[in-house]
Amino acid sequence: MADADDVRRLALALPQAVEIDSEGFDFRVDGKGFVWSYPERRPGEPRVIRTDIAVLFVGDEAEKQALLLGEPDLFFTAPGYDGLPLVLLCLEEVGVDRLRELVTDAWRMRAPHALVGDLDEGSLRPG
């Protein structure tokens, strides 16, 4: 079972990842978001930042659908995310090792190629 502190620790261990000021967590590399807390919106109610749910960048619709169909206990989506390469992840349902893989994959898709190459060569190690 993972939580927001695990997301923070794993994201900040990646090269040039930065956390921007937010009510929950919000991580970027090269100015591009790769994982952040879910801003839940319900009609007629104020937005609620959910730090128990992470939004992950997944690259494309095919990967999104593969995750949604392959691991429905972990991943879901919401109407505002239709057509976007993003999935929602229930942190309480995921182990830290799997979370590390997911956060690192999201970072890889958003980071400059040179940083990804350095990480792949082992010169930089995520926490």
Side-chain angles (χ1 to χ4, degrees):
M1 173 200 256
D3 62 22
D5 290 335
D6 293 314
V7 173
R8 185 168 282 110
R9 180 177 52 79
L10 295 169
L12 289 175
L14 294 163
Q16 295 184 22
V18 295
E19 184 170 13
I20 64 167
D21 189 35
S22 72
E23 295 175 45
F25 54 83
D26 190 338
F27 296 95
R28 306 204 177 179
V29 62
D30 198 33
K32 301 172 192 164
F34 65 97
V35 62
W36 57 92
S37 2
Y38 174 48
E40 184 176 40
R41 293 173 179 87
R42 293 185 181 181
E45 295 181 23
R47 178 181 76 162
V48 175
I49 301 300
R50 300 275 309 266
T51 59
D52 61 323
I53 298 173
V55 180
L56 286 161
F57 183 82
V58 295
D60 62 33
E61 186 67 21
E63 180 64 19
K64 177 179 183 172
Q65 292 306 315
L67 291 169
L68 293 172
L69 295 171
E71 297 177 83
D73 292 345
L74 294 182
F75 301 103
F76 66 101
T77 191
Y81 291 82
D82 292 343
L84 298 174
L86 305 168
V87 294
L88 306 174
L89 170 66
C90 298
L91 293 175
E92 296 174 348
E93 301 297 325
V94 68
V96 174
D97 288 340
R98 178 75 166 122
L99 180 63
R100 176 181 289 111
E101 175 188 322
L102 294 164
V103 169
T104 302
D105 286 349
W107 175 89
R108 284 178 191 280
M109 288 182 263
R110 302 298 263 176
H113 294 296
L115 278 182
V116 174
D118 288 345
L119 184 67
D120 289 342
E121 291 170 12
S123 61
L124 301 170
R125 299 262 184 227

